[in-house]
């Protein structure tokens, strides 16, 4: 499915409004810039990995003239992280302009991920061949206080993923509220204003900075409205400008519209259609017609006045080319009319990482110096892009079942909250430079192997380790631990202990090692 595109220039807008709420990043830039009265800031405070470069091309939009790219081949994903309000809703837009920044003259193909859900494949080749940039949009609910937007290599990625700009726009609670955003995300397929062949509608005409691309069709007559709608009367708060023009057909004749203008894969979609009678307000300013999509009734009798109306379906099955048919009622004074539409693919969430596990991994991230570069975003999901060293379960609520950071040159301490990861079976931290005490791990009742050898752990060997019912291998040698192994550990059946001589009881120093 083709991505959307920006022209390499932008129309000027002088109308001043309060800026929309959210984050607007000019990726790879060292300075802020304005676009349509929105300030785009450098992205440095939201990501700690990647390289930056400048596209040396005339007449580029400022947000397209720089980018951040990610050449690290070992990293499973590269994530931007945003602090957000709990249980909030955001429109996320990623913008890409390749500009041959790597000299390969072949845009890389890669994945983009929101939270723990793979959003889509980014392929800008077709747009780049036309001298255009590309953008993608998704509407996501955020249950916690952090939102991550990540890029990741896939089987088709031959060079470095990159990004030019990133918008994270806050939405009102009532917008797109027919979809349970705790279970689904909405990936934009098309958003168009009909009957026009002019400029794209954006901020400030749309206060939420959505982009309404013009969609013209010479087969249909157009009308221009003589009255305006009140956006707040509609759940999705569409811009009044999207109702200014529309397609119409003569009385008693159906209006058949092929839209979106490209075939769709077979799945479920959120469909919202917007209508308004174009005449001056009066008791006779109304139209009545039925709406069907691909021959299936969407709404049997719709009454459209000058105040406008929106109809929608949260999960409508579509496949292939979509045809919207508006059939006027026998008593309607005029033919049907349609002004704008939105279609989103409904993406099921692929699960979430257990909150306690995620919290524990975040604490460990904070306590380690120079952690793996891909320790960002959701720790477990998508499973193919989990944090380096993690193995996670395939359950709907994913658990961390293995953590292997052996010989990665890490330092810092072992966060006490690691004991929240109660599904962990293997914890391997050997051959690093961890310091400080070994925390209480007794809540980790599924732990089978614990490798802490060749570090700089200090303090006493916790007697609580004897409370781990499934522990069968414990390796503590070559640390700075004081005292000897507690007798409860030595007496534990089925447990193999590897320890330095100074930590073994005197009666065993010539025996076990």
């Amino acid at each position: 499915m083709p991505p959307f595109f920006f022209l390499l220039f932008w129309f000027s807008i002088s109308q001043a409004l309060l800026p929309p709420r959210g984050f607007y990043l000019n990726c790879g830039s060292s300075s802020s810039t304005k676009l349509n009265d929105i300030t785009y800031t450098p992205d440095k405070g939201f990501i700690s990995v990647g390289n930056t470069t400048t596209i040396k091309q005339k007449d580029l939009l400022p947000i397209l003239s720089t980018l951040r790219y990610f050449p690290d081949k070992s990293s499973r994903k590269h994530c931007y992280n945003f602090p957000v309000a709990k249980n909030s809703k955001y429109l996320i837009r990623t913008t890409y302009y390749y500009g041959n920044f790597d000299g390969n003259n072949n845009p890389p193909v890669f994945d983009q991920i929101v939270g723990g859900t793979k959003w889509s494949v980014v392929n800008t080749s077709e747009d780049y061949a036309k001298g255009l940039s590309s953008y993608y949009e998704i509407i996501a609910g955020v249950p916690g206080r952090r939102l991550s937007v990540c890029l990741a290599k896939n089987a088709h990625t031959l060079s470095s993923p990159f990004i030019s700009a990133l918008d994270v726009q806050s939405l009102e609670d009532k917008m797109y509220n027919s979809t349970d955003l705790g279970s689904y995300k909405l990936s934009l397929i098309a958003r168009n204003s009909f009957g026009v062949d002019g400029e794209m509608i954006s901020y400030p005409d749309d206060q939420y900075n959505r982009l309404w691309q013009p969609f013209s069709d010479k087969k249909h007559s157009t009308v221009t409205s003589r009255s305006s709608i009140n956006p707040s009367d509609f759940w999705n708060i569409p811009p009044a400008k999207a109702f200014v023009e529309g397609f119409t057909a003569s009385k008693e004749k159906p209006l058949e519209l092929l839209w979106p203008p490209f075939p769709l894969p077979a799945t479920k979609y959120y469909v919202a259609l917007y209508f308004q009678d174009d005449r001056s307000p009066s008791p006779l300013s109304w139209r009545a017609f039925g709406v069907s999509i691909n021959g299936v009734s969407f709404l049997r009798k719709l009454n459209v006045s000058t105040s406008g109306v929106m109809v929608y379906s949260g999960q409508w099955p579509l496949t292939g080319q979509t045809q919207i048919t508006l059939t006027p009622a026998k008593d309607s004074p005029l033919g049907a009319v349609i002004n704008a539409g939105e279609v989103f693919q409904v993406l099921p969430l692929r699960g979430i990482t257990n909150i306690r596990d995620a919290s524990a991994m975040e604490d460990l991230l904070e306590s380690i110096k120079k952690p793996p570069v891909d320790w960002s975003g959701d720790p477990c999901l998508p499973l193919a892009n989990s944090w380096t060293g993690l193995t996670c379960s395939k359950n709907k609520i994913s658990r961390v079942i293995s953590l292997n950071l052996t010989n990665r040159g890490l330092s810092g301490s072992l966060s006490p909250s690691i004991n929240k990861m109660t599904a962990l079976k293997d914890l391997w931290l050997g051959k690093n430079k961890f310091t400080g005490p070994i925390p209480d791990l007794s809540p980790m009742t599924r732990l089978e192997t614990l490798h802490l050898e060749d570090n700089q752990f200090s303090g006493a060997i916790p007697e609580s380790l004897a409370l781990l019912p499934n522990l069968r291998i414990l390796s503590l040698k070559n640390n700075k631990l004081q005292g000897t192994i507690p007798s409860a550990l030595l007496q534990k059946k089925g447990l193999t202990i590897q320890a330095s001589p100074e930590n073994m009881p005197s009666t065993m120093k010539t025996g076990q090692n």
Side-chain angles (χ1 to χ4, degrees), residues 176 236 259 270-274 298 310-313 340-343:
Y176 308 100
N236 289 351
W259 177 84
Y270 175 99
V271 180
L273 304 174
Y274 302 89
F298 195 77
M310 177 189 96
V311 299
Y312 68 92
S313 173
E342 296 179 280
V343 176

Side-chain angles (χ1 to χ4, degrees), residues 262-282:
F262 41 80
L264 302 178
T267 187
K268 292 184 178 179
Y269 295 83
Y270 175 99
V271 180
L273 304 174
Y274 302 89
F275 311 88
Q276 184 197 23
D277 190 288
D278 58 292
R279 295 170 292 170
S280 299
S282 78

Side-chain angles (χ1 to χ4, degrees), residues 14 81 207 275 290 320 468 486 504 507:
S14 59
N81 291 288
Q207 61 180 306
F275 311 88
L468 298 173
M504 298 299 294
T507 57

Side-chain angles (χ1 to χ4, degrees), residues 23 84 220 241 284 415:
F23 306 91
V84 296
H220 299 295
K241 199 169 183 179
L284 298 178
S415 169

Side-chain angles (χ1 to χ4, degrees), residues 210-223:
R210 289 167 295 186
L211 307 180
W212 301 74
Q213 299 282 0
F215 184 87
S216 60
D217 189 336
K218 295 180 180 179
K219 293 186 297 184
H220 299 295
S221 301
T222 59
V223 292

Side-chain angles (χ1 to χ4, degrees), residues 30 36 74 123 202 220 244 284 288 297 300 341 357 389 472 477:
S30 59
N36 286 3
S74 64
N123 187 345
S202 182
H220 299 295
V244 170
L284 298 178
S297 177
R300 292 190 180 280
D357 285 6
R472 53 184 177 81
K477 63 184 180 181

Side-chain angles (χ1 to χ4, degrees), residues 164-242:
S164 303
L166 176 55
D167 299 25
V168 177
Q169 163 67 53
S170 176
L171 298 179
E172 303 295 333
D173 287 342
K174 74 174 186 176
M175 298 173 71
Y176 308 100
N177 65 358
S178 65
T179 299
D180 176 11
L181 293 178
S183 301
Y184 303 94
K185 289 179 169 62
L186 298 177
S187 180
L188 184 66
I189 300 300
R191 181 189 292 116
N192 292 99
S193 54
F194 298 138
V196 295
D197 192 16
E199 296 174 338
M200 177 172 57
I201 301 171
S202 182
Y203 183 82
D205 294 302
D206 187 316
Q207 61 180 306
Y208 299 97
N209 196 31
R210 289 167 295 186
L211 307 180
W212 301 74
Q213 299 282 0
F215 184 87
S216 60
D217 189 336
K218 295 180 180 179
K219 293 186 297 184
H220 299 295
S221 301
T222 59
V223 292
T224 301
S225 177
R226 294 182 177 87
S227 61
S228 62
I229 58 99
N230 181 0
S232 63
D233 290 342
F234 300 79
W235 280 359
N236 289 351
I237 318 180
K241 199 169 183 179

